[in-house]
Amino acid sequence: MIILKGDLNEPRLGLKADEISHLGANVNIYIHLACSINLRRPLVEIAKSIIEPTLELAEIALASTSLERFVYISTAYANSHLHHKGEVDTKVTESIYPLRSGGGDSTDLELKDLNTSGTTPEYGINNFPFPYCYAKHLTERLLLDRFREKQAGDSLLIVRPSIIGPALREPFPYYEIRRSAPATNFLAAVVASLSLRMAFSSRLSDPMRESTLDEVPVDLVVNRILMHTTHRSHGIVHAVAGATGRHTFGTLWQKAMTMRRLPWHPRPVWLDVDWHSPLLHNIGSAWVIVGTSFLFEDERVHEVWDRMGEEERAVFPLFMRDAEEFEQVSMRRGRIRNLFEEWLSRKGFPPVLVNFLISRPTL
């Protein structure tokens, strides 16, 4: 293993000419995961950590003498703008959705507008919950164009995970890097909130039961990336929990309330307002998608599963067995306590105060 020290914000990723030459001569598979996960950073800033470095790495890969696969990790929520355009349980397929109402490819024009003015008309017209989602949407299209121009379309694989959660099995059950699992962070915020009322955005008639969260264990995402790469998938594939693995806002809320030690429970209030409305609670603004429901198609993973042998299936499972297994993965009280301990420590409070916020994990 050779580690190259680079910088996403620098031209050519901050790599030296000889390092780039080494990559071009020796690397045949590129897996690009690096980017900012600060979803609400301004578009002009987030473009510098998502769009620009991805195109830089793609250029390096396309110049490689033995390129077999360029794997880009996007997000299933790159198409979250569709929530305001169709059914409340929004179906998202493993394909590209043009942003212009009349269809057609506006990708290069969007990149030009972004570079000159810091935004695009397409971003202004389409209602994305976060700049991050639009940046991923544009990056997918830019990559597809670049690889087609070089007649290398079959070398490009775009993987769209949904919300990444704690591990199902590897390296051990419930494994997660602190602060990296959005649903854990949401639960922690609700458990610790002093509010009596929390306003969330939703266009659903019964958000407590109808809104769903698609959270997929991180090890299943890794397995899908590896197996799609091994079996030479190209194009767009989803890495999601799917229809049977989703759970509702009501389920999440109930988990938070059972962990909470404060003597009152906040009341969730649902408003049919824009995702960016000032009427929303700060938690409702940070996690606006909790009032939505997306059904992410994941048909292509079954093609790979059918080609895998029994030994591969045992080592690299691609699915959860059932929804009950997913619910077990979501039991993360210990991780939430760790977040509170870290927060209290930064504020200079004694760690014992965490017992006033959350109950202890059950063995």
Side-chain angles (χ1 to χ4, degrees), residues 38-73:
N38 187 335
L39 306 185
R40 295 195 289 176
R41 286 177 62 191
L43 179 59
V44 68
E45 293 181 17
I46 209 162
K48 296 184 182 301
S49 65
I50 292 181
I51 299 174
E52 294 177 11
T54 300
L55 296 181
E56 290 277 8
L57 184 59
E59 184 178 339
I60 293 171
L62 286 167
S64 298
T65 57
S66 57
L67 176 65
E68 293 182 19
R69 194 69 71 238
F70 184 93
V71 185
Y72 175 60
I73 312 305

Side-chain angles (χ1 to χ4, degrees), residues 85-106:
K85 294 188 174 185
E87 298 295 327
V88 290
D89 191 15
T90 307
K91 183 178 180 180
V92 181
T93 62
E94 295 166 299
S95 59
I96 290 290
Y97 290 84
L99 294 185
R100 291 194 170 186
S101 58
D105 182 16
S106 58

